[in-house]
Amino acid sequence: QVQLVESGGGLVQAGGSLRLSCAASRRTRSSFTVAWFRQAPGKEREFVARFTALFPWGRKSTEYADSVKGRFTISGDNTLNTVDLQMNNLEPEDTAIYYCAAATRAARTESSEYDSWGQGTQVTVSS
């Protein structure tokens, strides 16, 4: 199993920025995807962004939800030991618990594609 630990959540004013980090361990020697999902109270979990590295981690791809495209940036090296989510121009609608997820394959945007999850970190954006 992949162990995941998120950090970097907090309270920020609208228009501000936060940087989230996900530390991953115990990965297999295979293609690997780390993704961010979020869930607001009373709403379903939604995809935010993902980063895929193809074994032997010399190739990569990223993908973003339309709601965050142009504002959020996901980054990491090809081993994905640490994956960061830079969030700029934050809006109150971005308020949610953000979860890091991992899959030992080239996963996409469905939560069912991921089998390892972190505990989540709270992001609150005030108006």
Side-chain angles (χ1 to χ4, degrees):
Q1 293 183 339
V2 177
Q3 303 296 318
L4 303 172
V5 179
E6 304 104 328
S7 62
L11 174 65
V12 66
Q13 299 286 338
S17 299
L18 285 174
R19 188 176 182 87
L20 306 182
S21 293
C22 176
S25 64
R26 300 179 65 183
R27 65 174 57 84
T28 61
R29 294 197 304 124
S30 66
S31 298
F32 195 80
T33 301
V34 174
W36 288 95
F37 291 79
R38 67 186 183 186
Q39 187 166 23
K43 297 184 178 180
E44 63 188 82
R45 184 190 302 126
E46 65 174 343
F47 168 80
V48 177
R50 60 97 178 163
F51 190 118
T52 297
L54 299 177
F55 182 80
W57 307 297
R59 305 285 294 275
K60 66 179 182 180
S61 67
T62 59
E63 185 174 4
Y64 298 91
D66 288 341
S67 60
V68 306
K69 194 173 300 180
R71 299 188 298 122
F72 292 9
T73 302
I74 192 166
S75 63
D77 63 30
N78 287 341
T79 66
L80 301 187
N81 288 308
T82 300
V83 173
D84 295 335
L85 184 69
Q86 178 66 44
M87 306 186 295
N88 297 328
N89 300 315
L90 284 162
E91 305 168 352
E93 293 74 20
D94 295 316
T95 295
I97 300 175
Y98 284 69
Y99 297 92
C100 181
T104 54
R105 62 191 181 101
R108 296 292 299 277
T109 64
E110 298 294 333
S111 61
S112 61
E113 298 178 89
Y114 298 84
D115 53 15
S116 299
W117 293 82
Q119 295 300 305
T121 185
Q122 177 71 48
V123 171
T124 302
V125 184
S126 62
S127 59

